[in-house]
Amino acid sequence: ADGDARAIDAIRGVARVVARGAVAMTELYDTDLMIVGGPAVPPDVAEWYLAEISTAVNRFPIARRVRPVRGTYSALGANAAAVGAAAAVFHLAFAPRPRTHSGTAR
């Protein structure tokens, strides 16, 4: 954004839309921590995303009466999405699978 008011407004607008999704995720997963990162949220704009997400998840969800939700920037930064995708592959390959009544895995 580098001080350009229109660019800052655009970034904050996108962050508000992402924050709406964070509200739904907070309700669905009953989480008290939201981690923001990946290539779509570079460190120089993460502060704006975290502010919008923190405001939304602590204002709208029903669970806000139970506990506050914290937001933080991922230590993985731009690599967060790639690490998450790799973790999903390892999970599929190595996680135990439930058995059916016939004794075979689904």
Side-chain angles (χ1 to χ4, degrees):
D2 204 22
D4 184 323
R6 291 178 297 173
I8 292 169
D9 286 344
I11 292 167
R12 286 191 169 154
V14 171
R16 277 190 290 277
V17 172
V18 171
R20 289 184 199 141
V23 169
M25 289 176 59
T26 299
E27 294 286 26
L28 180 64
Y29 294 114
D30 190 28
T31 184
D32 60 357
L33 176 64
M34 296 295 288
I35 300 173
V36 176
V41 185
D44 52 341
V45 299
E47 172 185 320
W48 294 328
Y49 276 80
L50 288 169
E52 293 294 339
I53 289 169
S54 180
T55 297
V57 298
N58 287 295
R59 179 182 296 161
F60 299 114
I62 295 168
R64 74 184 184 281
R65 295 183 194 105
V66 177
R67 44 91 184 105
V69 178
R70 292 183 309 116
T72 189
Y73 188 67
S74 173
L76 299 173
N79 295 325
V83 171
V89 170
F90 281 111
H91 178 76
L92 287 172
F94 297 109
R97 290 185 176 79
R99 294 183 177 261
T100 64
H101 291 292
S102 66
T104 59
R106 283 189 172 188

